[in-house]
Amino acid sequence: MEFQYDGLKVFYTLQGTGAPVILLHGWGCTHEVFAPVAELLGAKYSVYSLDLPGFGESDEPGSVWGVGDYTRMLEAFCGELRLESPSLVAHSFGGRISILFASRNKVDRMVLTDAAGIKPVRRLSYYVRVYAYKALKVILSRLLKREDLLRRIAGGAGSEDYRNASPLMKAVLSRTVNEDLTDRLPLIQAPTLLYWGTEDTATPLADARKMEMLIPDAGLVTVEGAGHFSFVEDPARYAAVLSSFFGLV
């Protein structure tokens, strides 16, 4: 399905019926990374899974977007489809959008999975390598089952993936990764589940603990030994936690 926003095509899928849930993927991924979640929650909810502008089947933004631009797109999406008080499930970059959206809109509940939003203390080049390689690793090993290809390019996959991105999307990453949303966290009224890998080096566990402290109604679930894609590394556990949080059990 497609949604038109400011001349851009935004692709999304819809699964199930019921109250709305919106899935927002991380940098370098597409809606497909959340396919098991869409199937799970689609048993009770209307699940909208987006390709964020610049990724998958959606158009690139017409300018260098920041988190606010992505959030205004999501607000327009909800307005056009008349989605009131949606729930949000987000990973990494999608967490930035969710934090800002939930700080100024009514949200039923929210899941932030290894989410970005706290300004990093490392150089941008570090996060470029981490985000890009980890996204590529998930796509090749978990989704496409191409462990062989992953091994061949592991030596420099992340930076190569970034270099192959368009100049515009490089600029978008540079802008958004430096946006600090800490001051928005206390404004979130939705019950919020924080789901985190203890070995996440892209958005470290310290970020999750800070979010748990500042969001009024938040709880943290950690996955021992998991990294930035904790929900992919142990999908059965993620499904169980989401089932409980969304009342499927």
Side-chain angles (χ1 to χ4, degrees), residues 96-97 152 178 183:
R96 293 184 182 276
I97 304 165
R152 288 205 305 270
N178 284 299
D183 64 337

PDB file of all heavy atoms in Angstrom, residues 96-97 152 178 183:
ATOM      1  N   ARG A  96      13.662   6.954  17.588  1.00  0.00           N
ATOM      2  CA  ARG A  96      13.726   8.421  17.619  1.00  0.00           C
ATOM      3  C   ARG A  96      12.372   9.025  17.248  1.00  0.00           C
ATOM      4  O   ARG A  96      11.869   9.930  17.914  1.00  0.00           O
ATOM      5  CB  ARG A  96      14.783   8.924  16.641  1.00  0.00           C
ATOM      6  CG  ARG A  96      16.217   8.584  16.996  1.00  0.00           C
ATOM      7  CD  ARG A  96      17.176   9.218  16.000  1.00  0.00           C
ATOM      8  NE  ARG A  96      18.556   8.870  16.297  1.00  0.00           N
ATOM      9  CZ  ARG A  96      19.322   9.512  17.182  1.00  0.00           C
ATOM     10  NH1 ARG A  96      18.820  10.541  17.840  1.00  0.00           N
ATOM     11  NH2 ARG A  96      20.558   9.135  17.398  1.00  0.00           N
ATOM     12  N   ILE A  97      11.827   8.519  16.156  1.00  0.00           N
ATOM     13  CA  ILE A  97      10.535   9.023  15.678  1.00  0.00           C
ATOM     14  C   ILE A  97       9.441   8.744  16.709  1.00  0.00           C
ATOM     15  O   ILE A  97       8.597   9.604  16.991  1.00  0.00           O
ATOM     16  CB  ILE A  97      10.198   8.369  14.326  1.00  0.00           C
ATOM     17  CG1 ILE A  97      11.322   8.625  13.321  1.00  0.00           C
ATOM     18  CG2 ILE A  97       8.872   8.877  13.786  1.00  0.00           C
ATOM     19  CD1 ILE A  97      11.268   7.743  12.089  1.00  0.00           C
ATOM     20  N   ARG A 152      32.005 -13.341   3.671  1.00  0.00           N
ATOM     21  CA  ARG A 152      32.913 -12.812   2.654  1.00  0.00           C
ATOM     22  C   ARG A 152      33.104 -11.304   2.783  1.00  0.00           C
ATOM     23  O   ARG A 152      34.154 -10.784   2.459  1.00  0.00           O
ATOM     24  CB  ARG A 152      32.375 -13.133   1.247  1.00  0.00           C
ATOM     25  CG  ARG A 152      32.503 -14.596   0.880  1.00  0.00           C
ATOM     26  CD  ARG A 152      32.556 -14.768  -0.636  1.00  0.00           C
ATOM     27  NE  ARG A 152      31.411 -14.162  -1.307  1.00  0.00           N
ATOM     28  CZ  ARG A 152      30.272 -14.793  -1.566  1.00  0.00           C
ATOM     29  NH1 ARG A 152      30.110 -16.044  -1.172  1.00  0.00           N
ATOM     30  NH2 ARG A 152      29.297 -14.188  -2.207  1.00  0.00           N
ATOM     31  N   ASN A 178      22.716  13.141  15.674  1.00  0.00           N
ATOM     32  CA  ASN A 178      23.161  14.149  16.636  1.00  0.00           C
ATOM     33  C   ASN A 178      22.008  14.869  17.329  1.00  0.00           C
ATOM     34  O   ASN A 178      22.239  15.807  18.098  1.00  0.00           O
ATOM     35  CB  ASN A 178      24.059  15.166  15.929  1.00  0.00           C
ATOM     36  CG  ASN A 178      25.441  14.601  15.664  1.00  0.00           C
ATOM     37  OD1 ASN A 178      26.164  14.248  16.576  1.00  0.00           O
ATOM     38  ND2 ASN A 178      25.797  14.487  14.390  1.00  0.00           N
ATOM     39  N   ASP A 183      15.083  15.549  26.425  1.00  0.00           N
ATOM     40  CA  ASP A 183      14.101  16.444  27.030  1.00  0.00           C
ATOM     41  C   ASP A 183      12.666  16.075  26.678  1.00  0.00           C
ATOM     42  O   ASP A 183      11.721  16.546  27.308  1.00  0.00           O
ATOM     43  CB  ASP A 183      14.376  17.892  26.631  1.00  0.00           C
ATOM     44  CG  ASP A 183      14.214  18.138  25.136  1.00  0.00           C
ATOM     45  OD1 ASP A 183      14.330  17.172  24.353  1.00  0.00           O
ATOM     46  OD2 ASP A 183      13.973  19.295  24.747  1.00  0.00           O
TER      47      ASP A 183
END
